[in-house]
Amino acid sequence: MKHTTRDIITPEVAVTLDGLFQERANRSPNAIAYQYYDDVSSDWLEISWYEMTQEISRWQSAMINEGLREGDRVAIMLKNCPKWVIFDQAALGLGLITVPLYTADRPENVAHVLGDSGAKLLLIDSAEHWHPLHEATNELLELKRIVCIKTPPEGDDDNRLRGIDEWLPEHGDQFHHKIKCKDQLATIVYTSGTMGKSKGVMLSHYNLLYDSWASVQTYDVNEGDTLLSLLPLSHTLERMGGYCIPIMVGAKVAHARSIQQLQEDLAKIKPTAIITVPRVFERIKSRIEKQLDKQSIHKKFLFKLAVDTGYNLFEYKQKRGRWRPGFLLWPILKKLVADKVTKLLGGHLRIAVSGGAALSPEISKTFIGLGINILQGYGLTETSPVISVNRTDNNHPSSVGLPIEGVKVRLGIQNSIEVKGPNVMLGYWNNPEATSQIFTEDKWLNTGDVGKFDAEGRIYIVGRIKEIIVLSNGEKIPPNDIEAAILNDPLFEQVMVLGEGKPYLSLLAVVNRELWQLSAEDRSLDKNWPLNLSQQQSRAFALSRVAKQIKAFPGYAKVRRIALMSEPWTIENNLLTPTLKLKRDFVTEKYKHVIDELYEGYNS
C-alpha cells in the first residue's frame, strides 16, 4: 500500500540519533515499533515506541551507575533484537560511543576491537558468547563490566560479569539527551578486515542521519511498512536501513531469528520491505533451481517463460523496451509461476534492496522477472554506508544506480571511485595514518573501488583496485564479475579467480556436495567423496561448467585450470569476514601449494 503523505523526521528536527528516536516516540507512542521472537514464551511479541523509551531509561540508569562518562566507549555483541536498539539508544542519549560487534566474529578480532576502542562495557547474549571471549579479554584492563542477557555460567570467577536482571534497576529515570551537536561522534564501526586488522570507522550522528534521510528520498518506505531485519545490526547497511530509516519514517521492524529460520520468518512476518546482501537471494534462487530439477520439462519451460516475460515487461515499464504480444500471457504466468515464488518471500514484498556485494545479473533477472523489483545499491562503512542506489522507476540492474542526494562522486587515479558528502566518516579511530591515506589532497574519500559512469551518471562497479588481476601479458581482469557469473551455477558454493602475474586464469572452487554427487552419478564419475574432486575427469567436468557460465567474457578471461574443494570458506576458519567477504590473501596463503600446482607444467 502506497501512502500519499509520509511522516518523515528530518535530520534538522532530530539533530542526533537519540533525538530521532525520542521524536518518533512522541509522534507515534502507541504504534508498534518492533516485533521479535521471545525464546521464553516461544512466541512472537511486539513492543511500542513508548514502551521502548521506558526500557531505554532503565538501561541509562544502569549505565550511569557504572560511572560511565560522556565519550566513553561501550560495546554490544547481540543478535538483532529490541535490546540491541535499547542499548544503543541508552548509550547515545548519555553521550557514549557505541562499538558494534559481530556475534560470529573470531575471539581474537573481538579482543582487538575491544582493546583498540578502549570499551569499558560489553553487552553479550549468553555463556555461549562468553566462553570463547573469556581468555581473549583477560588483559583488557579498560573493560570494567560485561553484562550477559541470559544467566551467566555458574562458577565463573570473573568479577566483571553480571546478569541482566542483576544489572538493570527496576525503574529508570528520565530519557537523557546529553549531546546537542549533530557532528559529535556516535559510533565506531570496525571494518571487516579483509586485508589485516580491522580499522575503526568513526561515524557522527549526522553521518547516519543524513545518509538515512537521503536514502529515504529514493524510494517510498513509510509507516505502513514492515521491514524484516535480517543482516546483523553491526553491519552499517542494516543499522542505517533496518534501524535508522524505520525510526525516521515510523515503519515497524521485525527481527528475523536466523538465516536458517528465514523461510519460517518470512511466512510469519510477511514483510513489505527487506534490505539484504546478494547471498540471501542466491540461496533462494538455488532452492528454486533444486525444486525445478525435479519438475517436468513442461514446468521448467513455464518457469523460464515467466522469467523472460516478466523481465521484458519490466524493461517495457522502465521505458527501455518495446511492447510485446507475449505480455498478454503475464496474468496467467504470474498466477501459475511468479506468485508461488514470491510467496517464498512472504507474498507482500514490494521493496527489496541489495547491497554489500555485487548482485549477479542472472539473480537480478530471475527475481525481477518474477515481479520482485530488486534495487541494487553501493556504499561502504566509511560512507554511512550508502553512496548510490537504483530507484524503483529508474532501475538499471547491472548498475548500482545514481548517487543519493547531496553526495558527490568522481573518478580518480586508476578510475577509482571518490566520494564527498555529509555521509563521509570523520576518520579512523586512533589511526591518523590510515585516515590520511584514504583521503585525497582535496579531501575526497577514495573508496578503492574501480568504477565507470554512463551518460546519465549511473555508477557501474568494475572491481577493487587491490583485487584486479594483472596477467603476465599485461591484461587487467577484475575477478568479481567472473566469480559472480560462475556462481550462477549452483554446483559451485564459493569461488576465487587467480592469475596475478601468471599467463592465464585459474580457479579455486568449493562445490555443493549434494549436487556434485548427483552429477558424478549421472556422468559415471568416481563417487568416492571428497577424493573424486581431485581426479582429472572431475576437474574437466567442472571446467566445462565454468566455461558455460563465462562464455560471454573476452578470450583472455578464460579459466584454464581448476582446483575443487570440499571444505567451505567460513568465518571460523578465517577465510571470510563477519560480513561474509572473501579474505583473498588468507585463501591464497592457505592454499598456496594447491595454487602452485595449478601453474605447474602448463604452457600458455
Side-chain angles (χ1 to χ4, degrees), residues 486-560:
I486 295 169
L487 288 172
N488 284 325
D489 186 333
L491 181 69
F492 303 108
E493 293 276 1
Q494 296 165 301
V495 296
M496 183 172 130
V497 174
L498 308 156
E500 179 64 31
K502 304 295 184 181
Y504 56 87
L505 296 179
S506 57
L507 186 74
L508 300 181
V510 178
V511 298
N512 179 293
R513 179 173 180 174
E514 180 185 349
L515 293 180
W516 180 263
Q517 293 293 70
L518 288 173
S519 298
E521 192 171 315
D522 288 344
R523 285 159 182 80
S524 300
L525 299 174
D526 191 330
K527 298 176 185 177
N528 189 7
W529 174 272
L531 296 177
N532 56 3
L533 297 179
S534 61
Q535 295 177 354
Q536 182 60 39
Q537 280 182 305
S538 297
R539 292 197 296 268
F541 164 66
L543 267 179
S544 69
R545 299 275 290 244
V546 169
K548 185 177 179 182
Q549 296 301 321
I550 62 173
K551 61 184 178 182
F553 287 84
Y556 56 78
K558 179 181 178 181
V559 173
R560 302 278 186 91

Side-chain angles (χ1 to χ4, degrees), residues 466-481:
K466 292 180 180 178
E467 292 175 359
I468 287 179
I469 295 169
V470 183
L471 296 177
S472 58
N473 63 3
E475 292 286 359
K476 295 181 175 65
I477 302 172
N480 309 75
D481 287 348

Side-chain angles (χ1 to χ4, degrees), residues 340-534:
K340 292 178 181 178
V341 175
T342 55
K343 194 173 181 180
L344 294 174
L345 293 165
H348 294 268
L349 194 64
R350 65 181 188 83
I351 298 170
V353 179
S354 177
L359 183 67
S360 158
E362 185 65 28
I363 301 282
S364 290
K365 179 179 178 180
T366 299
F367 284 100
I368 289 174
L370 294 170
I372 298 169
N373 191 6
I374 298 177
L375 305 173
Q376 185 172 197
Y378 165 65
L380 53 157
T381 305
E382 289 85 346
T383 56
S384 305
V386 180
I387 293 171
S388 66
V389 67
N390 275 291
R391 278 59 164 174
T392 306
D393 58 353
N394 187 8
N395 186 3
H396 286 244
S398 59
S399 82
V400 291
L402 294 162
I404 58 175
E405 185 174 332
V407 174
K408 298 177 182 177
V409 182
R410 72 182 186 188
L411 296 182
I413 298 171
Q414 294 182 284
N415 287 329
S416 62
I417 296 172
E418 296 175 352
V419 184
K420 181 179 278 191
N423 60 337
V424 174
M425 69 169 181
L426 303 177
Y428 291 118
W429 176 260
N430 281 340
N431 202 335
E433 182 181 353
T435 301
S436 64
Q437 287 174 353
I438 200 171
F439 284 101
T440 64
E441 289 186 5
D442 54 351
K443 305 303 179 186
W444 287 66
L445 184 138
N446 186 339
T447 66
D449 290 312
V450 181
K452 61 182 181 180
F453 301 139
D454 67 12
E456 295 180 39
R458 290 183 198 84
I459 303 171
Y460 294 80
I461 306 300
V462 177
R464 292 284 298 170
I465 289 176
K466 292 180 180 178
E467 292 175 359
I468 287 179
I469 295 169
V470 183
L471 296 177
S472 58
N473 63 3
E475 292 286 359
K476 295 181 175 65
I477 302 172
N480 309 75
D481 287 348
I482 298 173
E483 290 165 350
I486 295 169
L487 288 172
N488 284 325
D489 186 333
L491 181 69
F492 303 108
E493 293 276 1
Q494 296 165 301
V495 296
M496 183 172 130
V497 174
L498 308 156
E500 179 64 31
K502 304 295 184 181
Y504 56 87
L505 296 179
S506 57
L507 186 74
L508 300 181
V510 178
V511 298
N512 179 293
R513 179 173 180 174
E514 180 185 349
L515 293 180
W516 180 263
Q517 293 293 70
L518 288 173
S519 298
E521 192 171 315
D522 288 344
R523 285 159 182 80
S524 300
L525 299 174
D526 191 330
K527 298 176 185 177
N528 189 7
W529 174 272
L531 296 177
N532 56 3
L533 297 179
S534 61

Side-chain angles (χ1 to χ4, degrees), residues 24-58:
R24 174 51 57 201
N26 290 338
R27 294 188 187 190
S28 319
N30 299 317
I32 299 302
Y34 298 97
Q35 187 175 7
Y36 63 100
Y37 189 83
D38 179 62
D39 291 329
V40 177
S41 63
S42 299
D43 198 8
W44 287 88
L45 304 180
E46 297 177 332
I47 184 169
S48 71
W49 295 105
Y50 172 75
E51 290 169 330
M52 286 287 290
T53 62
Q54 297 299 103
E55 283 299 298
I56 290 166
S57 67
R58 287 179 69 207

Side-chain angles (χ1 to χ4, degrees), residues 61 66 276:
S61 295
E66 289 290 350
T276 188

Side-chain angles (χ1 to χ4, degrees), residues 158-349:
D158 195 312
N159 58 16
R160 299 174 297 176
L161 195 62
R162 294 287 186 277
I164 192 73
D165 293 334
E166 179 187 1
W167 186 70
L168 274 179
E170 189 173 346
H171 301 289
D173 195 2
Q174 78 270 20
F175 194 100
H176 293 274
H177 288 286
K178 291 199 172 183
I179 299 298
K180 308 299 180 185
C181 175
K182 67 178 185 178
D183 296 317
Q184 193 85 10
L185 176 60
T187 185
I188 305 172
V189 184
Y190 281 76
T191 58
S192 301
T194 58
M195 305 297 289
K197 289 289 186 182
S198 53
K199 300 186 289 290
V201 175
M202 297 189 291
L203 299 178
S204 69
H205 287 263
Y206 192 64
N207 284 153
L208 284 163
L209 282 172
Y210 183 86
D211 203 69
S212 300
W213 177 83
S215 297
V216 163
Q217 308 312 305
T218 67
Y219 57 91
D220 177 25
V221 58
N222 51 61
E223 68 273 17
D225 280 307
T226 297
L227 187 139
L228 187 69
S229 178
L230 176 61
L231 292 179
L233 279 164
S234 43
H235 194 301
T236 310
L237 179 58
E238 185 66 31
R239 193 163 177 195
M240 185 278 290
Y243 171 180
C244 294
I245 283 180
I247 301 172
M248 190 168 276
V249 302
K252 181 175 78 173
V253 173
H255 290 120
R257 288 174 289 175
S258 67
I259 289 287
Q260 291 73 28
Q261 295 164 296
L262 178 59
Q263 205 60 61
E264 298 170 40
D265 291 353
L266 286 165
K268 170 66 179 178
I269 302 303
K270 296 179 171 52
T272 58
I274 188 170
I275 298 170
T276 188
V277 291
R279 187 63 181 147
V280 171
F281 295 111
E282 288 168 5
R283 285 181 175 178
I284 295 171
K285 183 172 180 285
S286 178
R287 179 182 171 185
I288 293 168
E289 286 173 339
K290 284 181 182 178
Q291 291 176 344
L292 273 176
D293 283 342
K294 302 172 186 175
Q295 301 298 322
S296 65
I297 294 175
H298 170 71
K299 288 190 176 180
K300 290 177 183 178
F301 170 78
L302 205 60
F303 181 84
K304 186 178 186 306
L305 181 63
V307 170
D308 290 343
T309 303
Y311 192 79
N312 288 332
L313 183 59
F314 160 79
E315 287 287 300
Y316 172 70
K317 289 179 178 179
Q318 295 277 320
K319 299 180 173 58
R320 294 193 297 269
R322 60 180 177 82
W323 186 88
R324 300 167 185 244
F327 294 164
L328 298 173
L329 291 173
W330 177 246
I332 299 170
L333 293 170
K334 181 177 182 297
K335 184 176 181 179
L336 293 177
V337 180
D339 287 351
K340 292 178 181 178
V341 175
T342 55
K343 194 173 181 180
L344 294 174
L345 293 165
H348 294 268
L349 194 64

